[in-house]
């Protein structure tokens, strides 16, 4: 390695740093230059946290705030050909402030806690970010039979109409087109939009949201949310508490792990925060005190599925995307969040358990079962942990990424991923091709064990599963998850499909929340390479191969990739880079995990074999 000797550099050789280097950006320029500070990431709509959904949410939050203040029971959302339109029936923006509210930073009514006491957006940034990141932005406000309209292009005003008479009902209409200069080839996916809208109605009983001809409405609030998301039958009826500024639902299922949904002022805090920490501790402490037994908190919470929503004055989130709460107090004069939640849970849950002894009996049985299993595996966990520690982060099983070895920002850790692959050639290709800062590789040794019907003891006894669990750091839940994306990378053949099913079964059985929280993906790699001397096209299907042959023309060279190890590291770099194709592993409401695992991994081996074969494009077929 050649090192530059800067000690001998002359002043003239140094990089200049003068007043000319100090640049002041306009607000819209800064948003466009650093969109990640405002919306997390850009993306193209492939994932639920991509920027186009954050833009929609920023607009919707204003409409929801109106509803929370008691104005407007219906919100209409339309998305057609990339154009998003949101119409609420709240009070409407004061007409003389329509332009300022959408294009002047630090302008808004939410600084005034009388108007918006417990709102999500408090810094006046959200709607401006939408404006700056849209190639077209329209805002109309209707108040008392009068209307005001303004149009923008990338935050530059196109038109500013005079106040006119209107027959429209009070409210606000916002229409925008995400800028394709930033959001490349984006597409809104109904499933992500609908999940977002469902959460809004679950959190706001009585609110109706119409979306592209569908209607979303909830009468039972968070209880409806739990019923929508549970993939196992509850062991007892959902416990539902509502109080001033708090709503809670709790039940247990026969599943491993804990599953939570947390919200602050209507914002889905996907990374939790102190309100979720206080909730988990309060439930554990209250149940322990009720039974007056020295239960472990982990046994009390094993299999628990719950949701909490609180409303806080001036909430402090850890980023503009508001996925984790950092506030400590309910308000300037009120109690801490921990005390507020603790007092509420202690009173309501303790009363409930006394009032409904049949529920407390079922809960006690579940806790004792969890305690029994934990003690049964106690003997192997210590040895397993020691074995996992000895399997250092630079061993043959795990090639870690630098994001976990250095002082990287949390936002970078959100970009991290781990590839789980089988075989030395495949893991070698990925290792040589990956981004070592953000991408790790875990190499399996042969086919994993079929864990269907086995207890969690197997996770510690089986070396492969134990080391994988340790690499992900999910033994005690998702709080310590080291990689945002867990990517299964197996060959596109029968053996590869079987390994994929075995890994999926492992996650679904022992760590279902990892799947439900959208952390597990399947890597798609090309099946063919079609090329001539001028051009190379990689094809992921027979149809793509046919189209590539047409495009290339006469006598193309066609290569069929039989396994990941056959793809050279230089080629692989393209397939796991920014254009990486990932299929998220998803569990829907109607997918009952126990029944799914019984079908795919139970004793019906012929059914499983037929499923694998029917869901693969067999090599012989591809050769035709």
């Amino acid at each position: 390695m050649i090192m530059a000797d800067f000690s001998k550099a002359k002043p003239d050789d140094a990089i200049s740093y003068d007043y000319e280097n100090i640049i002041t950006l306009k607000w819209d320029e800064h948003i466009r230059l650093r969109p990640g500070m405002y919306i997390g990431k850009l993306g193209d709509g492939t994932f639920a946290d991509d920027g186009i959904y954050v833009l929609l949410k920023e607009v919707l939050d204003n409409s929801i705030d109106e509803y929370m203040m008691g104005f407007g029971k219906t919100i209409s959302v339309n998305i057609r050909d990339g154009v998003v339109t949101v119409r609420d029936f709240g009070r409407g923006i004061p007409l003389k402030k329509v332009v300022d509210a959408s294009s002047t930073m630090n302008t808004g009514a939410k600084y005034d806690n009388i108007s918006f006491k417990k709102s999500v957006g408090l810094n006046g940034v959200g709607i401006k970010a939408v404006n700056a990141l849209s190639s077209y932005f329209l805002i109309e406000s209707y108040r008392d039979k009068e209307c005001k309209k303004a149009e923008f292009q990338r935050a530059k005003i196109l038109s500013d109409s005079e106040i006119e008479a209107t027959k429209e009902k009070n409210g606000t209409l916002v229409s925008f087109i995400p800028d394709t200069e930033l959001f490349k080839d984006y597409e809104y996916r109904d499933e992500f939009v609908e999940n977002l809208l469902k959460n809004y109605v679950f959190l706001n009983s009585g609110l109706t949201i119409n979306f592209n001809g569908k209607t979303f409405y909830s009468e039972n609030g968070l209880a409806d949310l739990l019923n929508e998301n549970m993939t196992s039958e509850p062991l007892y009826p959902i416990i539902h508490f509502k109080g001033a500024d708090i709503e809670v639902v709790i039940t247990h299922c026969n599943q491993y792990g804990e599953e939570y949904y947390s919200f602050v002022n209507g914002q889905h805090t996907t990374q939790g925060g102190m309100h979720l920490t206080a909730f988990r501790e309060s439930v554990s402490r209250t149940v322990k005190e009720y039974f007056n037994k020295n239960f472990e908190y982990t046994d009390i919470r094993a299999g628990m599925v719950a949701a909490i929503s609180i409303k806080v004055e001036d909430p402090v989130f850890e980023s503009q995307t508001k996925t984790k709460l950092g506030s400590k107090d309910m308000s300037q004069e009120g109690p801490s969040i921990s005390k507020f939640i603790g007092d509420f849970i202690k009173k309501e849950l303790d009363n409930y358990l006394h009032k409904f002894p049949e529920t407390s009996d079922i809960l006690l049985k579940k806790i004792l079962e969890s305690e029994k299993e934990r003690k049964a595996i106690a003997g192997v966990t210590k040895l397993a942990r020691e074995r996992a520690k000895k399997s250092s982060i630079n061993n043959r099983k795990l090639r870690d990424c630098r994001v976990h070895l250095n002082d990287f920002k949390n936002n970078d850790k959100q970009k991290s991923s781990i590839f789980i692959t089988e075989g030395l050639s495949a893991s070698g290709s990925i290792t040589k091709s990956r981004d070592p800062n953000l991408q790790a590789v875990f190499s399996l040794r042969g086919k994993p064990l079929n864990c269907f019907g086995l207890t969690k003891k197997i996770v510690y006894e089986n070396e492969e599963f134990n080391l994988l669990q340790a690499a992900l750091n999910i033994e005690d839940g998702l709080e310590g998850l080291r990689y945002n994306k867990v990517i299964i990378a197996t060959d596109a053949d029968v053996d590869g499909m079987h390994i994929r099913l075995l890994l999926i079964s492992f996650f679904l059985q022992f760590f279902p929340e990892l799947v439900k929280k959208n952390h597990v993906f399947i890597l798609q790699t090309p099946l063919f390479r079609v090329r001539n001397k001028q051009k190379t096209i990689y094809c992921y299907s027979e149809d793509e191969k046919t189209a590539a042959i047409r495009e290339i023309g006469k006598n193309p060279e066609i290569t069929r990739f039989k396994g990941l190890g056959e793809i050279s590291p230089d080629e692989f770099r393209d397939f796991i880079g920014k254009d990486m194709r990932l299929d998220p592993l998803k569990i829907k409401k109607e997918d009952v995990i126990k029944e799914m695992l019984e079908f795919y991994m139970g004793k019906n081996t012929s059914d499983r074999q037929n499923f694998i074969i029917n869901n693969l494009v067999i090599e012989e077929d591809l050769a035709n």
Side-chain angles (χ1 to χ4, degrees):
M1 180 181 293
I2 299 174
M3 299 294 291
D5 186 359
F6 290 104
S7 64
K8 298 179 180 179
K10 297 178 181 179
D12 291 343
D13 297 328
I15 297 174
S16 65
Y17 177 60
D18 205 342
Y19 71 92
E20 295 175 343
N21 301 110
I22 306 299
I23 300 172
T24 301
L25 295 176
K26 296 179 181 178
W27 68 271
D28 54 309
E29 293 173 335
H30 189 268
I31 292 174
R32 292 180 64 83
L33 183 66
R34 299 283 186 266
M37 292 178 60
Y38 300 89
I39 63 169
K41 66 174 182 174
L42 292 172
D44 60 3
T46 303
F47 303 106
D49 59 348
D50 281 352
I52 60 171
Y53 303 110
V54 180
L55 298 185
L56 169 60
K57 187 184 173 306
E58 291 289 359
V59 176
L60 276 168
D61 281 344
N62 292 330
S63 299
I64 296 297
D65 286 336
E66 281 293 300
Y67 174 79
M68 290 172 61
M69 294 297 295
F71 301 94
K73 295 183 178 181
T74 301
I75 300 171
S76 295
V77 180
N78 286 285
I79 301 178
R80 293 278 188 266
D81 301 322
V83 182
V84 182
T85 303
V86 178
R87 168 71 157 102
D88 68 42
F89 296 88
R91 291 166 291 183
I93 301 170
L95 302 186
K96 293 182 179 180
K97 289 293 184 178
V98 167
V99 173
D100 287 345
S102 52
S103 62
T104 302
M105 290 297 267
N106 304 319
T107 300
K110 296 176 186 178
Y111 300 104
D112 175 9
N113 281 349
I114 297 175
S115 300
F116 292 89
K117 187 176 182 183
K118 288 161 185 170
S119 168
V120 176
L122 294 170
N123 53 15
V125 171
I127 197 74
K128 286 83 168 178
V130 180
N131 191 351
L133 300 175
S134 297
S135 57
Y136 176 77
F137 180 89
L138 164 71
I139 184 165
E140 295 187 41
S141 179
Y142 315 104
R143 284 175 70 102
D144 303 326
K145 305 301 181 183
E146 290 186 320
C147 170
K148 169 77 172 178
K149 179 174 76 171
E151 294 177 287
F152 300 82
Q153 183 179 54
R154 299 182 180 93
K156 302 296 188 292
I157 194 158
L158 296 176
S159 69
D160 180 6
S161 72
E162 298 293 329
I163 295 175
E164 301 174 350
T166 184
K167 294 182 179 180
E168 289 277 353
K169 294 181 179 179
N170 284 1
T172 303
L173 181 148
V174 172
S175 186
F176 65 92
I177 303 174
D179 191 352
T180 52
E181 290 182 4
L182 301 169
F183 305 94
K184 307 292 185 182
D185 299 319
Y186 74 86
E187 178 185 3
Y188 279 95
R189 300 195 178 189
D190 285 358
E191 59 184 299
F192 295 141
V193 176
E194 290 176 7
N195 285 337
L196 176 65
L197 302 183
K198 285 177 183 177
N199 280 343
Y200 276 123
V201 297
F202 292 148
L203 291 164
N204 298 277
S205 300
L207 171 67
T208 297
I209 300 182
N210 297 311
F211 168 60
N212 286 5
K214 295 184 179 180
T215 298
F216 300 93
Y217 178 85
S218 170
E219 287 187 2
N220 303 307
L222 291 185
D224 287 339
L225 181 145
L226 240 55
N227 281 317
E228 177 74 19
N229 287 281
M230 281 191 299
T231 53
S232 300
E233 288 298 315
L235 295 178
Y236 53 84
I238 293 174
I239 300 172
H240 193 176
F241 304 134
K242 268 188 173 183
D245 297 330
I246 187 169
E247 181 179 1
V248 166
V249 286
I250 305 168
T251 191
H252 280 74
C253 297
N254 273 326
Q255 65 181 44
Y256 287 99
E258 307 167 32
E259 188 175 333
Y260 300 105
Y261 304 87
S262 65
F263 303 85
V264 175
N265 294 7
Q267 167 67 38
H268 189 185
T269 45
T270 53
Q271 295 184 52
M274 61 189 320
H275 61 312
L276 181 56
T277 299
F279 171 70
R280 294 170 70 234
E281 291 179 355
S282 300
V283 170
S284 304
R285 184 169 56 252
T286 300
V287 170
K288 181 177 180 177
E289 291 174 355
Y290 170 80
F291 288 116
N292 195 26
K293 293 182 180 294
N294 193 28
F295 288 138
E296 295 280 343
Y297 282 5
T298 53
D299 296 329
I300 293 171
R301 296 197 300 256
M304 190 165 94
V305 184
I308 177 172
S309 172
I310 63 171
K311 295 178 182 178
V312 181
E313 286 187 26
D314 299 330
V316 177
F317 296 98
E318 294 195 359
S319 70
Q320 170 61 21
T321 52
K322 309 179 184 82
T323 54
K324 188 173 184 179
L325 179 68
S327 297
K328 294 183 179 180
D329 301 319
M330 293 295 292
S331 66
Q332 292 181 353
E333 296 82 17
S336 70
I337 288 177
S338 296
K339 179 170 173 42
F340 172 77
I341 293 174
D343 291 347
F344 179 80
I345 293 296
K346 169 64 179 175
K347 175 184 175 183
E348 299 295 335
L349 183 56
D350 185 72
N351 287 344
Y352 186 95
L353 293 174
H354 279 94
K355 188 175 180 180
F356 296 97
E358 62 276 15
T359 293
S360 63
D361 289 344
I362 295 171
L363 177 56
L364 177 60
K365 182 180 178 182
K366 171 62 177 170
I367 296 170
L368 292 173
E369 288 174 351
S370 299
E371 182 181 59
K372 181 179 178 181
E373 181 172 355
R374 177 180 56 80
K375 290 180 178 179
I377 65 176
V380 298
T381 55
K382 183 178 180 181
L383 178 62
R385 288 194 185 104
E386 290 175 354
R387 195 165 61 215
K389 281 183 180 179
K390 290 179 181 178
S391 174
S392 69
I393 56 178
N394 289 314
N395 68 6
R396 294 180 181 177
K397 302 285 305 172
L398 174 65
R399 294 170 177 86
D400 210 356
C401 51
R402 296 186 187 123
V403 71
H404 298 298
L405 305 178
N406 299 307
D407 186 22
F408 277 67
K409 295 180 181 178
N410 185 58
N411 189 46
D412 290 322
K413 291 182 180 179
Q414 288 299 305
K415 299 175 186 176
S416 66
S417 57
I418 183 171
F419 295 95
I420 304 174
T421 190
E422 186 271 330
L424 294 177
S425 58
S427 62
S429 290
I430 295 180
T431 300
K432 293 175 183 176
S433 309
R434 66 178 175 142
D435 176 355
N437 287 321
L438 298 171
Q439 294 176 325
V441 181
F442 185 92
S443 179
L444 294 168
R445 185 181 60 210
K447 288 185 180 180
L449 179 72
N450 182 354
C451 61
F452 175 72
L454 303 177
T455 68
K456 203 171 184 180
K457 183 179 180 182
I458 195 65
V459 179
Y460 298 95
E461 291 180 328
N462 181 274
E463 184 178 12
E464 296 289 299
F465 285 153
N466 178 45
L467 295 179
L468 178 56
Q469 170 187 264
L472 299 177
N473 195 34
I474 52 176
E475 178 183 0
D476 298 320
L478 295 192
E479 289 85 354
L481 179 64
R482 301 180 74 240
Y483 311 95
N484 191 41
K485 290 186 176 69
V486 179
I487 302 170
I488 299 174
T490 57
D491 291 341
D493 58 13
V494 172
D495 284 342
M497 183 66 161
H498 193 203
I499 293 171
R500 183 184 302 178
L501 283 176
L502 291 167
L503 285 170
I504 291 172
S505 298
F506 168 68
F507 289 132
L508 285 178
Q509 181 152 333
F510 299 118
F511 305 101
E513 196 180 10
L514 192 70
V515 177
K516 290 186 177 184
K517 297 297 185 182
N518 303 312
H519 291 292
V520 183
F521 300 84
I522 308 298
L523 175 67
Q524 296 298 319
T525 52
L527 298 173
F528 302 100
R529 181 181 62 213
V530 180
R531 67 182 178 183
N532 58 20
K533 292 182 179 180
Q534 290 76 38
K535 192 169 189 178
T536 299
I537 301 175
Y538 297 99
C539 311
Y540 291 76
S541 68
E542 180 72 17
D543 289 342
E544 288 188 17
K545 184 186 79 168
T546 302
I549 293 173
R550 266 197 313 266
E551 183 177 340
I552 292 286
K554 294 182 179 180
N555 303 319
E557 176 192 319
I558 303 173
T559 302
R560 160 74 163 112
F561 295 119
K562 296 180 180 179
L564 301 183
E566 294 184 351
I567 304 175
S568 71
D570 287 340
E571 287 180 301
F572 222 120
R573 193 166 289 111
D574 295 329
F575 312 140
I576 61 173
K578 62 182 181 64
D579 296 323
M580 177 167 50
R581 295 194 188 187
L582 295 177
D583 288 338
L585 183 61
K586 298 176 183 176
I587 297 295
K588 303 184 292 294
K589 175 185 177 182
E590 56 269 24
D591 294 331
V592 179
I593 290 177
K594 184 178 180 181
E595 294 177 3
M596 288 174 60
L597 292 176
E598 175 69 42
F599 175 80
Y600 294 128
M601 308 312 296
K603 295 181 180 180
N604 54 337
T605 53
S606 60
D607 289 342
R608 179 166 67 252
Q609 288 172 349
N610 289 334
F611 169 83
I612 293 174
I613 292 171
N614 291 335
N615 282 271
L616 282 172
V617 185
I618 304 302
E619 181 181 346
E620 286 78 12
D621 296 333
L622 290 172
N624 293 333

